[in-house]
Amino acid sequence: FSLEEIRQLLNLYNFGDHRTRQIKQSYSLGLERLESMKSQKKELKSAIRDLQIQLDLCKELLIKRGASSEQF
């Protein structure tokens, strides 16, 4: 959570509803953060897959050019 989001949650603490508003807001922010993280995870998996493909191609080229696996 950002510092601003934490500040807003702490400000909700002063309401007399036994922190129900704070809990609801925390839950809502948590759901948003979870969706953001899931999206980032998908993007990261794709980037890792692409990088691995490129590394495999480079390795094949090095082997074809006579480099031993100990050199990379």
Side-chain angles (χ1 to χ4, degrees):
F1 299 104
S2 71
L3 290 176
E4 177 60 21
E5 290 169 329
I6 292 170
R7 184 192 65 76
Q8 290 175 4
L9 291 173
L10 291 174
N11 285 341
L12 292 172
Y13 183 76
N14 294 326
F15 287 97
D17 63 358
H18 303 287
R19 296 186 289 191
T20 300
R21 288 183 189 187
Q22 186 180 28
I23 294 167
K24 286 180 180 179
Q25 186 65 22
S26 296
Y27 183 78
S28 177
L29 289 172
L31 287 176
E32 289 175 20
R33 183 69 179 127
L34 180 62
E35 289 306 311
S36 174
M37 291 171 73
K38 285 180 178 180
S39 177
Q40 290 172 345
K41 180 181 176 182
K42 288 178 187 176
E43 292 171 13
L44 184 56
K45 280 185 170 186
S46 177
I48 289 170
R49 187 173 39 253
D50 291 345
L51 179 56
Q52 187 62 58
I53 289 169
Q54 292 302 314
L55 289 171
D56 291 345
L57 289 172
C58 288
K59 185 177 181 178
E60 286 178 33
L61 286 172
L62 288 169
I63 290 170
K64 285 180 182 178
R65 293 178 182 206
S68 68
S69 60
E70 296 166 0
Q71 293 176 318
F72 50 89

